[in-house]
Amino acid sequence: MAQAWRCAGLRWAADGPVLVWDGGRSSALPRGKRVAFGVLDGGVRTCVGARGHPCPVRAAVSGRSTGARCEECARLDRAHSVAADTVADDPRPYHVYLAWFGPGLVKVGITAEERGSARLLEQGAVCFSWLARGPLMAARRAEELLRAALRVPDRIPYGEKRAVRSALPSTPADRAAEIEALHGRAVALDAWPEALVREPYRPVDHAEVFGLTAGLTAAYGEVTELVPGGGVSGALVAVAGPDLHLATDRGTVVLDTRLMTGWELVPALPGAGGHGGVTVPVRKFKEEAGVQDELF
């Protein structure tokens, strides 16, 4: 029987996106690569644990969960999290940023300065600009100020991001127009925390990095969950945040790699994905227009 692999998620490395596997191995994801895997009949998705520790009871979790954690491990994971606003004593400097995901989809956020643009790549931000730099709590106060003053959220659902990716403006300037206007309004506000140093407008565009500039074909749908006996196979045409855009025999489908975590995966099974198919549940966006040594 083929060796099973347990996915630990997608990471954005210096030279591009990679899938990481338990045990430390990784699979690079260059565009054009064939991605093909299956889930064995009888397989069960289990909790991935919290903060580097395995789930003590290996609890079963829903196939639709993007967190792949049981209730207890999810609570522990958020107990010391900047994103969950449960950390107040982090001494690292933080950036405040504006990020754009598509027409009308702009958010404000913060990220540790040492992470550079990694957080923006992970979220699938098509373009962004820094706004300010300083201590965590000052950055958090600025985030709240900007949410209220600019009427922009600090979170955007991934489903909304996916819906606009195939219809992005064609030039970097057009893609950055909304954050340019908001940046000007933001730095003109009077109530900025004094501990923050405001930064000039310098847009960074990720469209080429993601593969969204080469006439990306609109996806017909998104995978909603993996299931035992099902599989996914297709050619990689784009990667944005955690999402793989795969060309299959039915058109382009989007796979959120967070749905892969917690499953034991094997090379594509006969009848489970084939050379360019998907045999797991897919939610449509619109009406439809062999044994390996490794998974990829």
Side-chain angles (χ1 to χ4, degrees):
M1 181 178 292
Q3 178 184 359
W5 297 63
R6 187 175 169 91
C7 183
L10 185 147
R11 302 287 184 271
W12 280 90
D15 54 353
V18 297
L19 278 175
V20 180
W21 308 95
D22 282 3
R25 297 193 66 175
S26 62
S27 301
L29 292 170
R31 291 198 289 277
K33 183 172 188 173
R34 178 175 176 258
V35 174
F37 64 87
V39 183
L40 286 175
D41 279 325
V44 176
R45 192 185 192 198
T46 56
C47 175
V48 297
R51 307 192 65 78
H53 301 287
C55 176
V57 298
R58 289 184 57 83
V61 294
S62 167
R64 292 177 178 263
S65 167
T66 54
R69 290 186 174 91
C70 67
E71 184 175 343
E72 179 62 16
C73 287
R75 183 188 67 79
L76 291 173
D77 192 63
R78 294 178 66 83
H80 191 77
S81 167
V82 171
D85 204 16
T86 56
V87 175
D89 58 353
D90 189 338
R92 297 176 297 173
Y94 274 74
H95 267 131
V96 185
Y97 62 82
L98 284 170
W100 183 87
F101 301 88
L105 297 182
V106 181
K107 63 157 283 188
V108 61
I110 67 173
T111 185
E113 182 185 38
E114 66 187 35
R115 297 205 67 209
S117 62
R119 180 63 179 147
L120 285 304
L121 291 165
E122 292 166 357
Q123 294 182 66
V126 178
C127 63
F128 78 93
S129 178
W130 304 128
L131 276 167
R133 174 189 177 276
L136 170 61
M137 295 312 294
R140 183 66 82 192
R141 288 195 299 273
E143 183 182 41
E144 293 298 322
L145 165 69
L146 296 169
R147 284 177 57 194
L150 303 182
R151 296 185 179 180
V152 294
D154 62 352
R155 289 177 177 82
I156 295 176
Y158 278 97
E160 295 182 24
K161 301 174 189 178
R162 294 175 190 130
V164 299
R165 284 188 192 137
S166 61
L168 299 176
S170 59
T171 69
D174 287 339
R175 291 191 289 269
E178 288 185 68
I179 60 170
E180 181 178 15
L182 286 171
H183 190 285
R185 290 172 54 194
V187 297
L189 295 172
D190 294 328
W192 277 86
E194 293 183 2
L196 293 182
V197 176
R198 279 174 266 192
E199 300 204 9
Y201 172 68
R202 292 195 182 99
V204 177
D205 192 277
H206 288 154
E208 182 65 37
V209 175
F210 291 156
L212 301 178
T213 60
L216 181 69
T217 301
Y220 77 84
E222 60 182 337
V223 172
T224 58
E225 63 180 316
L226 302 185
V227 294
V232 175
S233 177
L236 188 64
V237 295
V239 184
D243 294 343
L244 308 183
H245 290 242
L246 302 170
T248 75
D249 52 13
R250 295 175 60 192
T252 300
V253 66
V254 181
L255 169 63
D256 185 337
T257 53
R258 297 175 299 172
L259 297 175
M260 298 170 63
T261 58
W263 287 104
E264 298 287 338
L265 305 176
V266 296
L269 303 171
H275 291 289
V278 177
T279 56
V280 295
V282 172
R283 178 191 297 118
K284 293 182 181 179
F285 292 140
K286 61 180 182 179
E287 290 302 309
E288 281 191 41
V291 176
Q292 299 170 223
D293 291 331
E294 296 185 353
L295 271 177
F296 308 113

